[in-house]
Amino acid sequence: MDKRLVVTRFAPSPTGYLHIGGLRTALFNYLYARKHGGKFLIRIEDTDLARNSKDAARAILESFAWVGLECDDEIIYQSERFPLYASYAKKLVEEGKAYYCYMSKEELEELRESQRAQGITPRYDNRYRDFTGTPPSDHTPVIRIKAPLDGEIVFDDGVKGRICVQAKELDDFIILRSDGSPTYNFVVAIDDALMGVTDVIRGDDHTSNTPKQILIYQALNFSIPKFYHIPMILNPDGKKLSKRDGAMGVMDYKLMGYLPEALLNFLVRLGWSYEDQEIFSLQEMRELFDAKDINSSASRYNQEKFLWLNQHYIKACDDTRLEALLQEFGAKLDEYEKPIKSLLFSALKDRSKTLVEFAAQLKDIQTPPKSYDEKMLQKVDSSALGVLAKIIDEEEFAQCFCALNPSKLESYLHNYAESSSVKIGKLMPALRLALLGKGGGIGVCEALLIIGQDQSIQRIQALLAHLS
Ligand code: GLU
């Protein structure tokens, strides 16, 4: 049995924010490492120096902190490792496994043109592979790897199965450019090896890079990790995910009122399943996730399911945490006594798919109506208004507020309506209109108790005044 410590990594190219596809890749790597008691590392692939890697790393770490994925060891920045990559390129030259190529850009273009004219795929023609003459002195060479001339490169992908590429399809690709900067496939292989990465889980847009990376591992006598290339997340129509469908920054989901555990649960199910279970805590994911169960077909983003999960986690959220979260959405909850607060939470948890919705509904309850829904206003029953006018002075009505029991209040209203020969179906809409100004939203009795006796009476009086 292989006793090596499992090491996985997430290796984003810094694009400023972490999008959900990236977070899913990170999550799979994280879970796999945690399940095996291994390490999960982060490497920032910022060899493109024009980009601002520190900010990107900060944005990524901010997202990780929000969703609760912790990484092990220091973050590695490729931009800080150029001398290391150059030393490996030189080592390969010294060992005869790579070589300087002095071909100018113009010559390369000329070659490509003539190959295109002959109807063959443009590729480098190995002209400096075994060059022993005096090199041209007028420009700095690149370093190219000596790719095998025949045979095949084979690897067993953990998701896609056996992948076999003919060596002749790979040319002697550049590993170090003439300005000394290393190329992508070269640095990925070096870093994965030096970081001790045993399992590479990444998007399947990297499948075609893998044979090239394998050549680097082989040339440097590094052991080759196990690869898992995961299919993209598609939109509900099976097309590439766009911003509109949800290809947004992870932190945008925070602003839209999603809970981090809902996002992780949503993402883990995009491309992985465990029996027919839908709800997974992070702890469960860590125990149950296995890279070999990653789906080989693309998954689809399903907004309804995401909202369903989010509501599930809002309902499961304890009130203290929920209160703190809601404050970030401008919700004001200080004024409520504890029992009213719990009534409010249980009423709104049932009706909110996001924290934004929760805070908006709370605001609707807290704000006395500035206007009334026209249709409801026209339908309002005058005998129901008569009941409202009387009920606000009733002692028992006042007592219902002290009892803080919505069902008690409801039966009181039923009985009162009945004894006044007013249908409850007329009374409740009138009361709702007075309290909230519109239809929908939480139950009328819950609304009354949350709004409180004085404020409810004022709102009822305001409607009566409006209609008099
Ligand atoms: N930097 C690459 C990307 O962001 C990932 C490379 C890899 O995982 O090997 O797509």
Side-chain angles (χ1 to χ4, degrees):
M1 212 178 107
D2 191 352
K3 287 242 171 11
R4 275 195 306 173
L5 177 74
V6 167
V7 180
T8 64
R9 53 42 163 201
F10 176 54
S13 302
T15 49
Y17 62 79
L18 179 63
H19 59 85
I20 56 157
L23 182 60
R24 182 190 61 159
T25 303
L27 176 64
F28 283 5
N29 279 288
Y30 168 88
L31 295 175
Y32 194 66
R34 291 289 172 266
K35 177 176 167 110
H36 293 281
K39 280 187 179 189
F40 168 65
L41 309 178
I42 294 184
R43 177 174 75 233
I44 306 289
E45 305 216 310
D46 56 350
T47 50
D48 181 350
L49 297 175
R51 301 191 186 192
N52 188 343
S53 59
K54 295 284 183 231
D55 278 355
R58 219 168 292 133
I60 289 164
L61 292 183
E62 191 192 9
S63 303
F64 275 37
W66 179 56
V67 296
L69 299 189
E70 71 287 353
C71 77
D72 304 302
D73 297 358
E74 292 253 302
I75 296 187
I76 295 218
Y77 292 87
Q78 288 188 327
S79 60
E80 292 169 1
R81 291 157 72 88
F82 279 21
L84 177 87
Y85 306 132
S87 73
Y88 276 105
K90 300 231 163 69
K91 176 174 144 65
L92 289 179
V93 173
E94 279 157 25
E95 293 174 357
K97 294 174 180 167
Y99 59 92
Y100 291 106
C101 167
Y102 295 87
M103 204 168 174
S104 67
K105 268 205 181 104
E106 295 72 33
E107 284 173 313
L108 195 58
E109 204 29 63
E110 233 169 75
L111 173 68
R112 286 192 179 134
E113 270 308 309
S114 79
Q115 286 170 329
R116 272 193 283 264
Q118 292 166 60
I120 46 180
T121 317
R123 56 182 286 141
Y124 175 65
D125 61 1
N126 294 2
R127 70 177 66 172
Y128 282 97
R129 185 171 166 118
D130 299 309
F131 180 72
T132 48
T134 314
S137 57
D138 54 347
H139 68 272
T140 330
V142 298
I143 296 181
R144 288 182 183 270
I145 185 89
K146 270 191 189 167
L149 299 172
D150 46 37
E152 44 193 32
I153 296 126
V154 181
F155 66 99
D156 286 311
D157 191 281
V159 178
K160 297 187 179 286
R162 175 153 290 206
I163 294 185
C164 181
V165 174
Q166 295 305 313
K168 60 179 185 301
E169 284 173 27
L170 305 178
D171 62 359
D172 285 358
F173 59 92
I174 296 173
I175 55 173
L176 206 71
R177 299 184 189 91
S178 55
D179 64 2
S181 64
T183 55
Y184 171 71
N185 288 310
F186 187 51
V187 295
V188 168
I190 292 176
D191 283 337
D192 280 341
L194 297 184
M195 289 160 74
V197 172
T198 55
D199 297 84
V200 170
I201 304 174
R202 61 185 172 194
D204 65 1
D205 48 335
H206 288 289
T207 317
S208 61
N209 288 324
T210 307
K212 288 184 173 182
Q213 291 168 16
I214 288 175
L215 293 187
I216 304 294
Y217 285 103
Q218 287 170 338
L220 289 168
N221 293 323
F222 287 145
S223 54
I224 300 170
K226 173 89 186 163
F227 294 100
Y228 301 85
H229 287 99
I230 51 178
M232 299 281 112
I233 303 172
L234 300 176
N235 76 6
D237 304 324
K239 304 222 170 69
K240 199 169 173 260
L241 203 59
S242 73
K243 270 207 166 158
R244 213 175 37 125
D245 310 303
M248 285 178 288
V250 167
M251 296 311 276
D252 291 332
Y253 287 94
K254 181 175 189 234
L255 296 178
M256 290 186 297
Y258 287 88
L259 294 184
E261 55 269 45
L263 178 57
L264 291 185
N265 195 150
F266 177 61
L267 290 180
V268 83
R269 288 285 292 106
L270 289 177
W272 174 79
S273 56
Y274 178 79
E275 296 171 354
D276 53 6
Q277 191 170 331
E278 286 294 352
I279 307 279
F280 296 90
S281 67
L282 187 54
Q283 188 52 37
E284 267 180 307
M285 290 180 209
R286 288 165 62 140
E287 283 158 20
L288 298 174
F289 181 83
D290 200 328
K292 71 174 172 34
D293 298 328
I294 296 174
N295 247 319
S296 58
S297 52
S299 47
R300 294 190 187 200
Y301 187 97
N302 178 340
Q303 183 60 25
E304 267 168 41
K305 188 162 161 193
F306 194 4
L307 287 168
W308 173 77
L309 281 168
N310 203 43
Q311 179 158 31
H312 167 83
Y313 285 104
I314 288 178
K315 282 184 180 170
C317 192
D318 78 67
D319 289 359
T320 315
R321 175 174 171 228
L322 193 55
E323 180 167 353
L325 290 171
L326 285 165
Q327 265 156 8
E328 292 182 38
F329 292 90
K332 295 194 177 45
L333 290 149
D334 298 342
E335 67 196 65
Y336 298 108
E337 306 266 333
K338 207 159 178 239
I340 300 199
K341 221 185 259 178
S342 19
L343 183 72
L344 184 157
F345 279 133
S346 78
L348 288 188
K349 274 178 176 180
D350 278 345
R351 299 173 178 276
S352 310
K353 293 199 164 73
T354 66
L355 297 176
V356 169
E357 259 181 46
F358 196 118
Q361 292 191 74
L362 177 63
K363 200 158 180 224
D364 278 350
I365 297 169
Q366 290 174 329
T367 320
K370 290 192 185 67
S371 60
Y372 298 102
D373 179 273
E374 256 326 301
K375 277 200 186 124
M376 284 180 79
L377 210 49
Q378 273 162 23
K379 279 201 209 145
V380 85
D381 184 84
S382 57
S383 51
L385 292 174
V387 169
L388 289 183
K390 278 197 289 162
I391 213 168
I392 52 179
D393 292 325
E394 297 287 350
E395 184 52 34
E396 215 184 323
F397 182 59
Q399 279 164 7
C400 285
F401 283 91
C402 303
L404 258 193
N405 181 339
S407 19
K408 190 169 171 206
L409 182 56
E410 186 157 356
S411 38
Y412 171 73
L413 291 174
H414 269 266
N415 294 341
Y416 201 95
E418 207 174 283
S419 62
S420 314
S421 308
V422 170
K423 288 209 171 78
I424 190 76
K426 300 270 185 213
L427 180 63
M428 288 307 203
L431 197 44
R432 178 181 292 284
L433 186 65
L435 297 173
L436 303 167
K438 58 184 179 189
I442 68 165
V444 171
C445 295
E446 286 154 330
L448 275 169
L449 296 179
I450 294 165
I451 292 166
Q453 185 186 352
D454 293 350
Q455 182 58 232
S456 294
I457 291 176
Q458 277 177 32
R459 292 189 193 184
I460 292 169
Q461 284 170 335
L463 178 69
L464 295 174
H466 183 83
L467 288 170
S468 63

